[in-house]
Amino acid sequence: MTSNTIKEIVKIGLVQMACSEDSKANVQEAEAGIRKAAEQGAQIICLQELFQTPYFCQIEDPDNFKLAEDIPGPVTEAMSQLAAKLGVVVILPLFEKRSAGIYHNTAVVLDTDGSMAGRYRKMHIPDDPGFHEKFYFTPGDMGFQAISTHFGKVGVLICWDQWFPEAARLTALSGAQFLFYPTAIGYQAFDEAVADKQVAAWQTIQKAHSIANGIFTCVVNRVGKEGQINFWGGSFVCDPFGECLAQASSQEPEVLVADCDLGLIEETRQSWPFLRDRRVDAYQDLTRLYIDPNAT
Amino acid sequence: MTSNTIKEIVKIGLVQMACSEDSKANVQEAEAGIRKAAEQGAQIICLQELFQTPYFCQIEDPDNFKLAEDIPGPVTEAMSQLAAKLGVVVILPLFEKRSAGIYHNTAVVLDTDGSMAGRYRKMHIPDDPGFHEKFYFTPGDMGFQAISTHFGKVGVLICWDQWFPEAARLTALSGAQFLFYPTAIGYQAFDEAVADKQVAAWQTIQKAHSIANGIFTCVVNRVGKEGQINFWGGSFVCDPFGECLAQASSQEPEVLVADCDLGLIEETRQSWPFLRDRRVDAYQDLTRLYIDPNAT
C-alpha cells in the first residue's frame, strides 16, 4: 500500500476527564480541556458521554431526571460560544430533555461558527447491573448520520453503540470520515478478574469498525472510580486500518490529540475495497432480531 | 462474569497446510491432518480454502477451470467416507463446478455419518492484484446459514467474507455457534512493509465478529510462498469474547486443536447482551451500497 495522495491532516482532540459531583466544575474542566486541545491545534474536539455529572445510571432514581437539559440550553450556548471563539468543532454529549417524560442520551455537533451542525441521539441503550440506562434514556429516533462540519464529515455514536457493527456501517455509508464514540465504560468489582478481557474486547471491536469501513475511529472515555465502577479511560484514535494513532492513560485525566490524514480513507478503501463488494442483495434479514430455524 | 454453566466442550481441529502443485498429495496431506486432529479428539475439523491446489487465482487463466469438480464428486466422497470412519464433522472447501460456466468457491459440511449436512457458496468475492477471484467464482446464491451437525451448529464463511460484519451477523442470527473461515490470505512483495498491519487487521476484525455476536470464530489459512504471495498462516480459534484459544505458526504446516465450551455463548450473551438491543427498526439502509447525500 503506497500513498501518492497529498496529505490532508485533520487534528482530533479528545478530553478524557474524571467527573465530580459538582457539575459546574465538570463543565469548567471540559472547557479547559477544549482550550488545551485547541492550543495544540485540535480542530474537532470531543467530550466524553455525560461529562457534566458522575455516571448517575448506576441506580434508578427519578430525581436524576433533573440533571437533563433542553437543547439548546445554557451549556450548549456556552460551548457554542467557545467553539466559535476558538474556531473548532465541538462534539458535546448532553442528557437531553426533549419533552415531559422523553429524555435522550444525545450529542450535538457544534461547528466552527458556533452553529449547531447536527444532533445524534443514542440508538442502542444498555441495561446491565450498574448501567441502568433504559430507565433514563428513550432510544434515539434520528438514525445514523454523517454530520457535515467545517473540518470534515463527523459521525457520532455513543458508548453501547460501539458494540454494533450495523451502527458503524450505516454511519460510514452516510459519508462519515470519523466515528466518534463518547463513552462511559468501566469494570465493576465483581468483574475485576475479567477487566483486561473487557478492555481488550472494547478496543478490538472499535478498531474493527475502522477496518470494516475504512474510517477513523475516535473514542473518549472517562476515568476514575464512581460507586462500584472503575472507568477505564484509555481514550484512543485509530486509523482506517485499525492502527492506534494515540491512546490515553487508563487512570488519569488527559487531553489526547492525534493527526488524521484524510487521504488514508481513500487509500485504504482502494487497497482493500470492501465497500465495493457488499452483498446488499443478501442483507435484508439484518432487520430481523433473530432468524428462527424451521421446525426440525 | 461468573460461570455456573455445566461445560459442554466441543473440540475443533484446523488443518493448516502448504500446498504443492500435486493435487493428490495435497488431498493426502489434508486427510492425514484430519486423522491427526481426530486422534487428538477434534470433533469438527476444517480444511483451508482451495486446499487441493496452489492458489491459482494469482492469474486469470481459463485452463484453471479444469481444477473444478462436481459436488458430490470424488473428493467429497472420499472425505465423506473418512468423516464417517472417524466419526467427525469435516468442513471441506472445494472449487465447485455447478454448470457450464458457473463455478463457485464452496465449502461442504460433512456430518459424522458421512452425509452432506449443508453447503455454503462464498458470497463476497475479492478482486485485487494477485487475487483475481471475480474471474473464477460466481458469487454465492445460498445466503448465510447455520448448518446443523452432530457436534453443533456450524456457520461457514470463506476468506474475503471475513471483512464483512454483515456476513458474520447473519450467520450468527441463523443460530450458528461457530463461524469457520477457510482462508487463503497472504501479503505480497510490494506490501511487505505493511504485512504486520495486514495480519493485525485480519485478526482484529475476525475477533470482533466473535465479540459482536457472542460466538466462536475458527480461521484456517494456508502457509508458504506461492508466486508473489506469502501466505501468513496464523490459523486461530477465539472464544465469544474474542480471546484467542489457540493460534498456529505463521510459516509451518500445523494441525491446531482447541476446546470450545459452548456454555460460553450463553454466558457471554447474558453478560453483554448485544443481541437484545439491536435496532432492527433502523437498519433497513444496510441493503444500500451507499447512502448518497442530498444535494448540498
Side-chain angles (χ1 to χ4, degrees), chain A residues 36 49 58 69 73 96 109 111 132 134 137 149 156 168 178 206 235 258 263 276 280 289 291:
Chain A
K36 188 173 170 187
E49 185 186 20
Q58 294 195 49
E69 61 193 313
E96 177 186 7
V109 178
D111 213 341
H132 300 284
K134 288 193 198 292
F137 307 129
T149 73
V156 185
F178 303 91
Q206 293 180 100
S235 303
R276 179 193 66 191
V280 293
L289 268 181
I291 303 165

PDB file of all heavy atoms in Angstrom, chain A residues 36 49 58 69 73 96 109 111 132 134 137 149 156 168 178 206 235 258 263 276 280 289 291:
ATOM      1  N   LYS A  36      -7.242  23.557  25.837  1.00  0.00           N
ATOM      2  CA  LYS A  36      -5.920  22.927  25.760  1.00  0.00           C
ATOM      3  C   LYS A  36      -5.755  22.172  24.442  1.00  0.00           C
ATOM      4  O   LYS A  36      -4.703  22.251  23.788  1.00  0.00           O
ATOM      5  CB  LYS A  36      -5.750  21.971  26.952  1.00  0.00           C
ATOM      6  CG  LYS A  36      -4.349  21.403  27.082  1.00  0.00           C
ATOM      7  CD  LYS A  36      -4.212  20.593  28.382  1.00  0.00           C
ATOM      8  CE  LYS A  36      -2.890  19.829  28.386  1.00  0.00           C
ATOM      9  NZ  LYS A  36      -2.799  18.904  29.532  1.00  0.00           N
ATOM     10  N   GLU A  49     -19.070  11.005  27.173  1.00  0.00           N
ATOM     11  CA  GLU A  49     -20.504  10.857  27.436  1.00  0.00           C
ATOM     12  C   GLU A  49     -20.858  11.400  28.825  1.00  0.00           C
ATOM     13  O   GLU A  49     -20.146  11.123  29.797  1.00  0.00           O
ATOM     14  CB  GLU A  49     -20.851   9.362  27.357  1.00  0.00           C
ATOM     15  CG  GLU A  49     -22.327   9.040  27.496  1.00  0.00           C
ATOM     16  CD  GLU A  49     -22.593   7.530  27.546  1.00  0.00           C
ATOM     17  OE1 GLU A  49     -21.649   6.767  27.849  1.00  0.00           O
ATOM     18  OE2 GLU A  49     -23.738   7.114  27.294  1.00  0.00           O
ATOM     19  N   GLN A  58     -26.014   4.325  37.583  1.00  0.00           N
ATOM     20  CA  GLN A  58     -25.749   3.165  38.444  1.00  0.00           C
ATOM     21  C   GLN A  58     -26.982   2.792  39.258  1.00  0.00           C
ATOM     22  O   GLN A  58     -27.114   1.659  39.700  1.00  0.00           O
ATOM     23  CB  GLN A  58     -24.554   3.442  39.366  1.00  0.00           C
ATOM     24  CG  GLN A  58     -23.249   3.578  38.578  1.00  0.00           C
ATOM     25  CD  GLN A  58     -22.015   3.484  39.455  1.00  0.00           C
ATOM     26  OE1 GLN A  58     -21.893   2.574  40.267  1.00  0.00           O
ATOM     27  NE2 GLN A  58     -21.099   4.438  39.295  1.00  0.00           N
ATOM     28  N   GLU A  69     -31.284  18.582  30.386  1.00  0.00           N
ATOM     29  CA  GLU A  69     -31.434  19.987  29.990  1.00  0.00           C
ATOM     30  C   GLU A  69     -31.963  20.086  28.567  1.00  0.00           C
ATOM     31  O   GLU A  69     -31.867  19.148  27.774  1.00  0.00           O
ATOM     32  CB  GLU A  69     -30.094  20.704  30.097  1.00  0.00           C
ATOM     33  CG  GLU A  69     -29.020  20.117  29.208  1.00  0.00           C
ATOM     34  CD  GLU A  69     -27.645  20.678  29.598  1.00  0.00           C
ATOM     35  OE1 GLU A  69     -27.531  21.886  29.774  1.00  0.00           O
ATOM     36  OE2 GLU A  69     -26.706  19.870  29.720  1.00  0.00           O
ATOM     37  N   GLY A  73     -29.675  25.004  25.283  1.00  0.00           N
ATOM     38  CA  GLY A  73     -29.814  25.404  26.674  1.00  0.00           C
ATOM     39  C   GLY A  73     -28.513  26.058  27.089  1.00  0.00           C
ATOM     40  O   GLY A  73     -27.629  26.275  26.255  1.00  0.00           O
ATOM     41  N   GLU A  96     -30.364  14.993  27.331  1.00  0.00           N
ATOM     42  CA  GLU A  96     -31.336  15.893  26.690  1.00  0.00           C
ATOM     43  C   GLU A  96     -32.750  15.699  27.239  1.00  0.00           C
ATOM     44  O   GLU A  96     -33.274  14.591  27.238  1.00  0.00           O
ATOM     45  CB  GLU A  96     -31.355  15.622  25.175  1.00  0.00           C
ATOM     46  CG  GLU A  96     -32.392  16.470  24.430  1.00  0.00           C
ATOM     47  CD  GLU A  96     -32.542  16.126  22.955  1.00  0.00           C
ATOM     48  OE1 GLU A  96     -31.929  15.134  22.500  1.00  0.00           O
ATOM     49  OE2 GLU A  96     -33.284  16.852  22.262  1.00  0.00           O
ATOM     50  N   VAL A 109     -23.332  18.460  17.647  1.00  0.00           N
ATOM     51  CA  VAL A 109     -22.091  18.829  16.970  1.00  0.00           C
ATOM     52  C   VAL A 109     -22.143  20.326  16.682  1.00  0.00           C
ATOM     53  O   VAL A 109     -23.039  20.800  15.978  1.00  0.00           O
ATOM     54  CB  VAL A 109     -21.902  18.025  15.668  1.00  0.00           C
ATOM     55  CG1 VAL A 109     -20.623  18.452  14.955  1.00  0.00           C
ATOM     56  CG2 VAL A 109     -21.878  16.533  15.970  1.00  0.00           C
ATOM     57  N   ASP A 111     -20.424  23.647  15.164  1.00  0.00           N
ATOM     58  CA  ASP A 111     -19.462  23.957  14.102  1.00  0.00           C
ATOM     59  C   ASP A 111     -18.582  25.144  14.509  1.00  0.00           C
ATOM     60  O   ASP A 111     -18.769  25.758  15.576  1.00  0.00           O
ATOM     61  CB  ASP A 111     -20.199  24.224  12.790  1.00  0.00           C
ATOM     62  CG  ASP A 111     -19.385  23.762  11.574  1.00  0.00           C
ATOM     63  OD1 ASP A 111     -18.156  23.593  11.706  1.00  0.00           O
ATOM     64  OD2 ASP A 111     -19.984  23.569  10.505  1.00  0.00           O
ATOM     65  N   HIS A 132     -28.028   1.227  34.321  1.00  0.00           N
ATOM     66  CA  HIS A 132     -29.484   1.151  34.136  1.00  0.00           C
ATOM     67  C   HIS A 132     -29.983   2.240  33.192  1.00  0.00           C
ATOM     68  O   HIS A 132     -30.813   3.066  33.555  1.00  0.00           O
ATOM     69  CB  HIS A 132     -30.179   1.253  35.500  1.00  0.00           C
ATOM     70  CG  HIS A 132     -29.799   0.162  36.449  1.00  0.00           C
ATOM     71  ND1 HIS A 132     -30.297  -1.122  36.344  1.00  0.00           N
ATOM     72  CD2 HIS A 132     -28.929   0.141  37.490  1.00  0.00           C
ATOM     73  CE1 HIS A 132     -29.767  -1.872  37.294  1.00  0.00           C
ATOM     74  NE2 HIS A 132     -28.935  -1.140  38.003  1.00  0.00           N
ATOM     75  N   LYS A 134     -31.794   2.073  30.425  1.00  0.00           N
ATOM     76  CA  LYS A 134     -33.140   2.001  29.849  1.00  0.00           C
ATOM     77  C   LYS A 134     -34.165   2.748  30.713  1.00  0.00           C
ATOM     78  O   LYS A 134     -35.226   3.130  30.223  1.00  0.00           O
ATOM     79  CB  LYS A 134     -33.570   0.539  29.636  1.00  0.00           C
ATOM     80  CG  LYS A 134     -32.826  -0.158  28.477  1.00  0.00           C
ATOM     81  CD  LYS A 134     -33.499  -1.471  28.100  1.00  0.00           C
ATOM     82  CE  LYS A 134     -32.595  -2.390  27.295  1.00  0.00           C
ATOM     83  NZ  LYS A 134     -32.280  -1.922  25.941  1.00  0.00           N
ATOM     84  N   PHE A 137     -33.121   6.757  29.395  1.00  0.00           N
ATOM     85  CA  PHE A 137     -32.959   7.234  28.017  1.00  0.00           C
ATOM     86  C   PHE A 137     -33.919   6.557  27.051  1.00  0.00           C
ATOM     87  O   PHE A 137     -33.871   5.335  26.850  1.00  0.00           O
ATOM     88  CB  PHE A 137     -31.524   6.997  27.530  1.00  0.00           C
ATOM     89  CG  PHE A 137     -30.471   7.564  28.447  1.00  0.00           C
ATOM     90  CD1 PHE A 137     -29.413   6.777  28.881  1.00  0.00           C
ATOM     91  CD2 PHE A 137     -30.546   8.885  28.890  1.00  0.00           C
ATOM     92  CE1 PHE A 137     -28.443   7.287  29.739  1.00  0.00           C
ATOM     93  CE2 PHE A 137     -29.578   9.405  29.751  1.00  0.00           C
ATOM     94  CZ  PHE A 137     -28.526   8.602  30.181  1.00  0.00           C
ATOM     95  N   THR A 149     -19.255  19.278   8.859  1.00  0.00           N
ATOM     96  CA  THR A 149     -18.696  20.405   9.610  1.00  0.00           C
ATOM     97  C   THR A 149     -17.579  21.035   8.775  1.00  0.00           C
ATOM     98  O   THR A 149     -17.176  20.485   7.739  1.00  0.00           O
ATOM     99  CB  THR A 149     -18.080  19.949  10.955  1.00  0.00           C
ATOM    100  OG1 THR A 149     -16.834  19.260  10.687  1.00  0.00           O
ATOM    101  CG2 THR A 149     -19.009  19.031  11.723  1.00  0.00           C
ATOM    102  N   VAL A 156     -21.325  10.525  14.871  1.00  0.00           N
ATOM    103  CA  VAL A 156     -21.293  10.377  16.331  1.00  0.00           C
ATOM    104  C   VAL A 156     -22.144   9.178  16.714  1.00  0.00           C
ATOM    105  O   VAL A 156     -23.287   9.045  16.267  1.00  0.00           O
ATOM    106  CB  VAL A 156     -21.818  11.637  17.052  1.00  0.00           C
ATOM    107  CG1 VAL A 156     -21.641  11.479  18.559  1.00  0.00           C
ATOM    108  CG2 VAL A 156     -21.108  12.884  16.560  1.00  0.00           C
ATOM    109  N   ALA A 168     -21.951   1.433  13.044  1.00  0.00           N
ATOM    110  CA  ALA A 168     -20.749   1.954  12.399  1.00  0.00           C
ATOM    111  C   ALA A 168     -20.912   1.942  10.881  1.00  0.00           C
ATOM    112  O   ALA A 168     -20.580   2.902  10.188  1.00  0.00           O
ATOM    113  CB  ALA A 168     -19.537   1.112  12.809  1.00  0.00           C
ATOM    114  N   PHE A 178     -15.122  10.176  10.137  1.00  0.00           N
ATOM    115  CA  PHE A 178     -14.742   9.863  11.515  1.00  0.00           C
ATOM    116  C   PHE A 178     -15.939   9.262  12.232  1.00  0.00           C
ATOM    117  O   PHE A 178     -17.055   9.736  12.085  1.00  0.00           O
ATOM    118  CB  PHE A 178     -14.375  11.131  12.295  1.00  0.00           C
ATOM    119  CG  PHE A 178     -13.285  11.942  11.674  1.00  0.00           C
ATOM    120  CD1 PHE A 178     -13.594  12.954  10.781  1.00  0.00           C
ATOM    121  CD2 PHE A 178     -11.958  11.709  11.994  1.00  0.00           C
ATOM    122  CE1 PHE A 178     -12.591  13.726  10.208  1.00  0.00           C
ATOM    123  CE2 PHE A 178     -10.955  12.470  11.428  1.00  0.00           C
ATOM    124  CZ  PHE A 178     -11.268  13.490  10.525  1.00  0.00           C
ATOM    125  N   GLN A 206     -13.927  -1.762  18.313  1.00  0.00           N
ATOM    126  CA  GLN A 206     -13.933  -0.411  17.734  1.00  0.00           C
ATOM    127  C   GLN A 206     -12.866  -0.271  16.642  1.00  0.00           C
ATOM    128  O   GLN A 206     -13.088   0.387  15.622  1.00  0.00           O
ATOM    129  CB  GLN A 206     -13.776   0.621  18.838  1.00  0.00           C
ATOM    130  CG  GLN A 206     -15.025   0.612  19.730  1.00  0.00           C
ATOM    131  CD  GLN A 206     -14.970   1.602  20.866  1.00  0.00           C
ATOM    132  OE1 GLN A 206     -15.545   2.666  20.808  1.00  0.00           O
ATOM    133  NE2 GLN A 206     -14.260   1.237  21.903  1.00  0.00           N
ATOM    134  N   SER A 235      -8.928   6.346  26.238  1.00  0.00           N
ATOM    135  CA  SER A 235      -9.408   7.005  25.019  1.00  0.00           C
ATOM    136  C   SER A 235      -8.384   6.816  23.912  1.00  0.00           C
ATOM    137  O   SER A 235      -7.178   6.836  24.166  1.00  0.00           O
ATOM    138  CB  SER A 235      -9.610   8.504  25.295  1.00  0.00           C
ATOM    139  OG  SER A 235     -10.502   8.679  26.380  1.00  0.00           O
ATOM    140  N   ALA A 258      -4.481  13.875  18.114  1.00  0.00           N
ATOM    141  CA  ALA A 258      -3.918  12.989  17.079  1.00  0.00           C
ATOM    142  C   ALA A 258      -4.181  13.569  15.701  1.00  0.00           C
ATOM    143  O   ALA A 258      -5.251  14.142  15.444  1.00  0.00           O
ATOM    144  CB  ALA A 258      -4.536  11.594  17.188  1.00  0.00           C
ATOM    145  N   GLY A 263      -6.492  11.435   3.555  1.00  0.00           N
ATOM    146  CA  GLY A 263      -6.121  10.682   2.364  1.00  0.00           C
ATOM    147  C   GLY A 263      -6.085   9.180   2.593  1.00  0.00           C
ATOM    148  O   GLY A 263      -6.249   8.377   1.670  1.00  0.00           O
ATOM    149  N   ARG A 276     -16.866  -1.972  -2.058  1.00  0.00           N
ATOM    150  CA  ARG A 276     -17.225  -2.373  -3.428  1.00  0.00           C
ATOM    151  C   ARG A 276     -18.029  -3.668  -3.444  1.00  0.00           C
ATOM    152  O   ARG A 276     -18.873  -3.882  -4.332  1.00  0.00           O
ATOM    153  CB  ARG A 276     -15.920  -2.589  -4.215  1.00  0.00           C
ATOM    154  CG  ARG A 276     -16.091  -3.023  -5.653  1.00  0.00           C
ATOM    155  CD  ARG A 276     -14.753  -3.505  -6.227  1.00  0.00           C
ATOM    156  NE  ARG A 276     -14.295  -4.726  -5.545  1.00  0.00           N
ATOM    157  CZ  ARG A 276     -13.090  -5.254  -5.685  1.00  0.00           C
ATOM    158  NH1 ARG A 276     -12.176  -4.643  -6.440  1.00  0.00           N
ATOM    159  NH2 ARG A 276     -12.759  -6.359  -5.037  1.00  0.00           N
ATOM    160  N   VAL A 280     -25.483  -6.445  -0.957  1.00  0.00           N
ATOM    161  CA  VAL A 280     -26.693  -5.777  -0.470  1.00  0.00           C
ATOM    162  C   VAL A 280     -27.959  -6.523  -0.879  1.00  0.00           C
ATOM    163  O   VAL A 280     -29.019  -6.315  -0.293  1.00  0.00           O
ATOM    164  CB  VAL A 280     -26.740  -4.311  -0.940  1.00  0.00           C
ATOM    165  CG1 VAL A 280     -25.628  -3.505  -0.270  1.00  0.00           C
ATOM    166  CG2 VAL A 280     -26.657  -4.204  -2.454  1.00  0.00           C
ATOM    167  N   LEU A 289     -34.615  -9.599  14.337  1.00  0.00           N
ATOM    168  CA  LEU A 289     -33.939  -9.815  15.622  1.00  0.00           C
ATOM    169  C   LEU A 289     -33.213 -11.152  15.642  1.00  0.00           C
ATOM    170  O   LEU A 289     -32.137 -11.284  16.211  1.00  0.00           O
ATOM    171  CB  LEU A 289     -34.953  -9.800  16.770  1.00  0.00           C
ATOM    172  CG  LEU A 289     -35.190  -8.469  17.437  1.00  0.00           C
ATOM    173  CD1 LEU A 289     -36.205  -8.642  18.562  1.00  0.00           C
ATOM    174  CD2 LEU A 289     -33.901  -7.868  17.987  1.00  0.00           C
ATOM    175  N   ILE A 291     -33.197 -15.154  13.282  1.00  0.00           N
ATOM    176  CA  ILE A 291     -33.728 -15.903  12.152  1.00  0.00           C
ATOM    177  C   ILE A 291     -34.061 -17.290  12.677  1.00  0.00           C
ATOM    178  O   ILE A 291     -33.199 -18.165  12.758  1.00  0.00           O
ATOM    179  CB  ILE A 291     -32.700 -15.936  11.003  1.00  0.00           C
ATOM    180  CG1 ILE A 291     -32.344 -14.491  10.602  1.00  0.00           C
ATOM    181  CG2 ILE A 291     -33.245 -16.720   9.821  1.00  0.00           C
ATOM    182  CD1 ILE A 291     -31.099 -14.371   9.733  1.00  0.00           C
TER     183      ILE A 291
END
